[in-house]
Amino acid sequence: MRAPDVMSYGDRATNFLIYDGECPFCTSYVKRVRIRESVGEIELIDARHNPEIVSEAIKLGFELDEGMLLRLNSRWYFGEDCIHALALLSSATGFFNRFNAIIFRSRLLSKLLYPILRGCRNLTLLVLKKTKID
């Protein structure tokens, strides 16, 4: 999904990734994926602690309970497109990043597997009794 480039992020970095900090999968993924080596400065934003940016993302049409949101060089990548873009950008250093690249560099595999990953996230948050991002 692509939205207009109108989000006002004040002093935030131009490039950022918004994820659910209460989701153990999302948090682990964000900590392990190595994109700074290829992208440079990128801010990792926990949606649970940044309601103002969540509100702006929702105004742009992004439902953050449905996926991570990457803003990179004035372009938006959401959900399966986000994980695909991250796989293309991440370094091949370490087992996790090599595995991530093998799986998610394929647009088709990203499209097929992302809903399963999102379902696992939603089930985990239900078990942990975490609320929706809003």
Side-chain angles (χ1 to χ4, degrees):
M1 174 181 215
R2 186 169 167 141
D5 188 25
V6 295
M7 185 179 267
S8 62
Y9 22 76
D11 294 332
R12 294 199 180 281
T14 302
N15 298 324
F16 55 81
L17 175 64
I18 304 173
Y19 68 100
D20 182 356
E22 288 191 9
C23 169
F25 301 117
C26 302
T27 301
S28 180
Y29 180 85
V30 168
K31 286 180 181 177
R32 294 179 194 275
V33 71
R34 293 192 174 123
I35 56 173
R36 285 190 171 110
E37 294 158 9
S38 57
V39 172
E41 183 181 345
I42 184 164
E43 185 175 1
L44 304 177
I45 301 171
D46 178 349
R48 302 282 180 163
H49 295 106
N50 293 278
E52 71 289 342
I53 203 158
V54 169
S55 176
E56 295 216 27
I58 290 170
K59 286 179 192 173
L60 291 172
F62 298 111
E63 178 56 55
L64 295 179
D65 278 313
E66 298 298 318
M68 292 188 292
L69 177 61
L70 172 66
R71 183 178 189 280
L72 182 65
N73 300 328
S74 301
R75 294 200 57 194
W76 297 96
Y77 302 90
F78 180 72
E80 66 199 41
D81 294 328
C82 175
I83 205 162
H84 175 68
L86 291 171
L88 294 173
L89 294 166
S90 67
S91 89
T93 306
F95 173 76
F96 174 82
N97 285 285
R98 283 193 298 275
F99 178 76
N100 184 57
I102 289 167
I103 302 295
F104 294 110
R105 284 188 180 191
S106 163
R107 188 172 296 282
L108 178 61
L109 283 176
S110 296
K111 185 177 183 81
L112 293 173
L113 295 176
Y114 194 79
I116 296 167
L117 295 174
R118 189 180 65 232
C120 291
R121 170 215 178 255
N122 292 344
L123 182 60
T124 300
L125 291 179
L126 182 67
V127 169
L128 295 173
K129 298 186 182 344
K130 301 294 182 180
T131 60
K132 292 180 69 165
I133 298 171
D134 49 31

